[in-house]
């Protein structure tokens, strides 16, 4: 019924509870989850989850925040992206939130990494999982420069855990991307985000946990896991004047449309 389009089940706090989480998923009718890769070093563990369980899939990518890790080249991403049950490239993108004393100009390495991921996704014909924080203008510009305009040859993908403005959402939609909402949607301070979630076309919506982070209300502050994604769906359903079942069905269908080969 429900699909968690973005979770980090390879992170220690979730891996250690995997059997319990899987039982909770069954009880909550969460039938599928996409396990997201954030470093090349982590990829074997992420891929193992997808090959061990028939309702998990994997991505390959290096998160923009990760420094001091193996820097991916095109072959690193393409070769792993061809493996069974790897359905997307990412998590990738730009994050200027933690610049510290650095300037945006000094983040060229991050932009270069992003371009490598985009090119790998285009070669593979698989979608991108985009992370953008305090960097939306550059994120959109680089996507356009790399030919991600929704036309033939575009990889497409999803702006995950969306927290940006309505203008950024519209720009992403214009480029052919999906928009995914997390438990942030349920937070009291997130009215502007709820306004965005109210206008995104139904056929471009996804839901996610981004677990172990961002547990939705009423579990805020606790360790998140895929069994809690129905709370995001319920909040989205209330915003759109639809049933939870309708949101579950639509977002699961959208998941299948974006990430090919994920039908259970």
């Amino acid at each position: 019924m429900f699909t968690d389009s973005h979770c980090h089940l390879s992170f220690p706090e979730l891996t250690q509870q995997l059997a319990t989480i899987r039982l909770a998923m069954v009880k909550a009718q969460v039938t599928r989850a996409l396990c997201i890769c954030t470093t090349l070093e982590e990829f074997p563990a992420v891929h193992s989850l997808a090959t061990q369980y028939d309702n998990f899939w994997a991505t390959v990518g290096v998160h923009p925040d990760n420094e001091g890790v193996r820097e991916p080249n095109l072959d690193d991403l393409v070769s792993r992206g061809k493996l069974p049950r790897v359905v997307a490239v990412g998590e990738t993108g730009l994050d200027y939130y933690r610049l510290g004393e650095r300037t945006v100009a000094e983040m060229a390495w991050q932009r270069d990494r992003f371009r490598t991921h985009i090119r790998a996704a285009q070669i593979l014909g698989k979608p991108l999982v985009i992370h953008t924080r305090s960097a939306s203008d550059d994120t959109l510009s680089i996507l356009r420069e790399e030919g991600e305009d929704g036309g033939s040859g575009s990889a497409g993908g999803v702006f995950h855990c969306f927290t940006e403005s309505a203008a950024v959402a519209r720009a992403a939609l214009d480029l052919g991307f999906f928009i995914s909402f997390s438990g942030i949607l349920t937070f009291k301070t997130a009215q502007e985000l709820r306004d965005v979630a109210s206008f995104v076309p139904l056929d471009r919506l996804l839901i996610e946990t981004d677990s172990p982070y961002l547990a939705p209300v009423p579990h805020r502050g606790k360790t998140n896991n895929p069994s809690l994604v129905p709370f995001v769906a319920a909040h989205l359903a209330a915003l759109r004047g639809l049933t939870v079942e309708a949101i579950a069905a639509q977002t699961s269908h959208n998941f299948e449309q974006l990430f090919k080969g994920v039908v259970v």
Side-chain angles (χ1 to χ4, degrees):
M1 185 176 179
F2 299 98
T3 300
D4 184 354
S5 67
H6 192 113
C7 61
H8 296 281
L9 290 176
S10 59
F11 285 15
E13 54 265 64
L14 297 186
T15 299
Q16 294 168 5
Q17 304 177 45
L18 189 57
T20 301
I21 289 169
R22 285 184 59 79
L23 287 173
M25 288 173 65
V26 171
K27 186 175 180 180
Q29 297 182 281
V30 180
T31 55
R32 294 179 295 198
L34 181 58
C35 301
I36 303 297
C37 179
T38 62
T39 66
L40 292 180
E41 291 87 344
E42 178 196 19
F43 176 76
V46 176
H47 191 230
S48 178
L49 287 166
T51 56
Q52 185 174 355
Y53 300 102
D54 65 3
N55 63 334
F56 291 164
W57 285 266
T59 71
V60 58
V62 180
H63 192 288
D65 263 346
N66 284 331
E67 301 182 59
V69 298
R70 179 176 169 184
E71 189 64 33
N73 60 39
L74 201 58
D75 182 64
D76 289 328
L77 298 173
V78 171
S79 61
R80 289 164 178 77
K82 290 179 178 178
L83 293 173
R85 302 184 70 80
V86 179
V87 297
V89 175
E91 169 173 2
T92 184
L94 300 175
D95 194 322
Y96 299 160
Y97 183 73
R98 296 183 181 90
L99 284 178
E101 296 181 356
R102 295 178 294 187
T103 66
V104 169
E106 291 175 309
M107 304 303 286
W109 62 270
Q110 212 178 74
R111 294 185 287 276
D112 290 343
R113 179 187 288 179
F114 186 26
R115 290 182 190 277
T116 299
H117 282 75
I118 296 170
R119 292 166 189 173
Q122 291 169 346
I123 290 169
L124 290 164
K126 293 183 178 181
L128 291 154
V129 177
I130 302 291
H131 169 107
T132 184
R133 191 176 187 192
S134 302
S136 56
D137 287 347
D138 280 359
T139 300
L140 292 165
S141 293
I142 289 173
L143 286 168
R144 293 186 186 103
E145 289 167 12
E146 293 294 331
E148 286 299 315
D149 56 6
S152 61
S154 295
V158 57
F159 276 56
H160 105 92
C161 192
F162 194 84
T163 56
E164 301 292 334
S165 67
V168 174
R170 291 189 177 95
L173 292 167
D174 287 345
L175 295 179
F177 281 78
F178 287 66
I179 306 288
S180 181
F181 294 97
S182 70
I184 295 174
L185 199 67
T186 71
F187 297 175
K188 288 182 179 180
T189 55
Q191 186 55 51
E192 289 185 11
L193 186 62
R194 286 188 283 275
D195 293 341
V196 173
S198 297
F199 77 73
V200 173
L202 285 173
D203 63 357
R204 300 282 199 89
L205 282 171
L206 292 174
I207 54 175
E208 64 173 271
T209 59
D210 200 13
S211 51
Y213 312 115
L214 304 174
V217 174
H219 299 278
R220 188 174 182 183
K222 299 179 181 178
T223 301
N224 201 4
N225 73 76
S227 73
L228 300 183
V229 81
F231 288 95
V232 182
H235 213 87
L236 194 52
L239 286 174
R240 305 296 294 246
L242 298 169
T243 65
V244 175
E245 291 78 10
I247 290 294
Q250 182 67 61
T251 54
S252 291
H253 174 74
N254 295 345
F255 183 78
E256 294 171 9
Q257 293 299 110
L258 179 59
F259 303 107
K260 306 301 182 186
V262 296
V263 179
V264 174

